[in-house]
Amino acid sequence: MSEGFQQKFFDHVDKNQALYIERLAEAVGIPSISSDLENHLGDVNQMIDWTKAHIDRLGGKTNLVVNPLNSDKITYPPILLGEFHVDPKKKTVCVYGHLDVQPAEKDDGWDTEPFTLVEKDGKLYGRGSTDDKGPALSWLWIVEAHQALGVDLPLNIKIMYEGMEEYGSEGLFETIRDEGKPGQFLDDVDFFCISDNYWVGKTKPCLTYGLRGLAYFQVGVKGCEQDLHSGNHGGGIHEAMTDLVRLMATLVDTNGKILVDGVMDSVKPLTPEEEALYESIDFNVESYKEENGVKNVSDKLLYDNKKDLLMHRWRYPTLSIHGIEGAFSGKGAKTVIPAGVKGKFSLRLVPDQDPKQIEKCVKAHLETEFAKLQSPNKLEIELIHGAVAWLSDPKHPNYQAAARAVEKVYGCEPDYTREGGSIPITSAIEEATGMNVLLLPIGACDDMAHSQNEKYNISNMMNGIKVLGVYLHELGKIQGPKPSDCKCIPLTQEELMVPGAFLRGFKCKCEM
Ligand code: BES
Ligand code: ZN
């Protein structure tokens, strides 16, 4: 981006702040809750159509890919593919985002209606504002700005937006595999960029090169035929709920130690180099406590120093217990014996942990523990979502382009961080295409994604649009052949360890 254009671009973005807020308000107003398709499939589809209409308006090509998992029983939203094509000789970046959101109700403890965007003190409150509608839509406003200023895009932009991310990206893995084949949509993509995570702090931008994976389980205990009165029948039967809470309690101790045999076996030992990475990260334990809603009644976290806290959030697996389906959960007292209950828990996985292997360990553990109860009830264990962890190389030119963009907008170098959360398709994209994926977060650590009062700072939104816009131009400056043109065999693990060898197409075998 030339200095002159950069200033014009920044001015354009600044002038359009009110318009961006208005559009985000429209998007947040569509309750596109993917975990409740029975009630919200129409909304998820509407959100996808709304976005498609913007791409169409801007002259992009669009295609709604029918969800490959559709069946007689269930219909999923389509996947929205879009394209702003400039020149076949130019490189291509594909941006991914999700247009679906987590459920939210005012009664959950929101101060305002979750599906009405409310501006207060420079912050935009609403479900999906930061996760992920705000960041995902930025790309469209960047294309619009280029058109308004009469400047060509520096490279081709492809867009892949889905509506099922919060429910495990149903159908997207198959679509990525198909679209990654020769001649298909993803085949000529050289770089990927995803803005669907957050800074580690409130003020300093970062680039993220690692995510944890996920193994989400449901463990059901089926007891009697129907719910019963505990006064009538308590004392006569083996209660499903009693079995289940005992089982769930054997999974993890109160200090977060996972008690399932075999789960820690594949966790990489810490090297001094990796340990050193944590020292320089701009993260303060005290402000983390204050600003993220994590404060405990006793003000005590599991770890009180930066390094251990970050490592346990990013590079070690964890096991969290989420809930029990079928159990009484309302206010007050209900003297019921639930007939059958399903416990929900998940493990966040780290590199080298295979969800299938973890499933084996978890099943063996629960079956052994259940046998100890000598209960006549029926046990059923199911892995609902499985995703491997992901780790990239921050020295890749894709990351370096983003780092330069951050410097131009924020005037500082970004931190390089990993994340505890999961974006399961990240590894799938890499596997299907062999191209590098950059995570470029825009939102701040206290945005409260998935929680009450989710928000997006106006300053993060505005600077985010600027960073992503400048990033495009920095990518456009990268010299050399298109990484996607490289047809040579992938580098081996050892070859990948050689500094600089990570980028197929830049230092690949066909150039040696
Ligand atoms: N935006 C998040 C992913 C995320 C959260 C990345 C926190 C890094 C830090 C995304 O919308 C999400 O929540 N994904 C789910 C995926 C799951 C349903 C497979 C998650 O991580 O729980
Ligand atoms: Zn998200």
Side-chain angles (χ1 to χ4, degrees), residues 44 50 95 101 131 209 214 242 261 284 291 391 434 474 489:
V44 181
W50 181 93
V95 301
V101 296
D131 186 12
Y209 65 95
L214 185 69
T242 311
D261 271 355
N284 180 286
E291 293 153 4
L391 208 52
E474 293 297 329
I489 44 162

Side-chain angles (χ1 to χ4, degrees), residues 12 51 106 127 151 220 327 415 428 435 438 475 477 484 489 506:
H12 176 93
T51 311
K106 181 134 193 287
R127 175 57 91 226
V151 171
D415 276 336
M435 297 297 116
L438 157 76
L475 269 189
K477 285 184 201 160
S484 63
I489 44 162
F506 286 85

Side-chain angles (χ1 to χ4, degrees), residues 98 102 131-132 165-169 196-198 211 214 348 385 387 419-424 449-450:
H98 66 92
Q102 286 277 321
D131 186 12
D132 177 39
E165 195 273 349
E166 301 288 10
Y167 200 68
S169 295
D196 185 25
N197 67 302
Y198 321 96
L211 290 166
L214 185 69
R348 293 284 168 175
H385 299 304
E419 272 280 14
S422 315
I423 308 174
H450 293 210

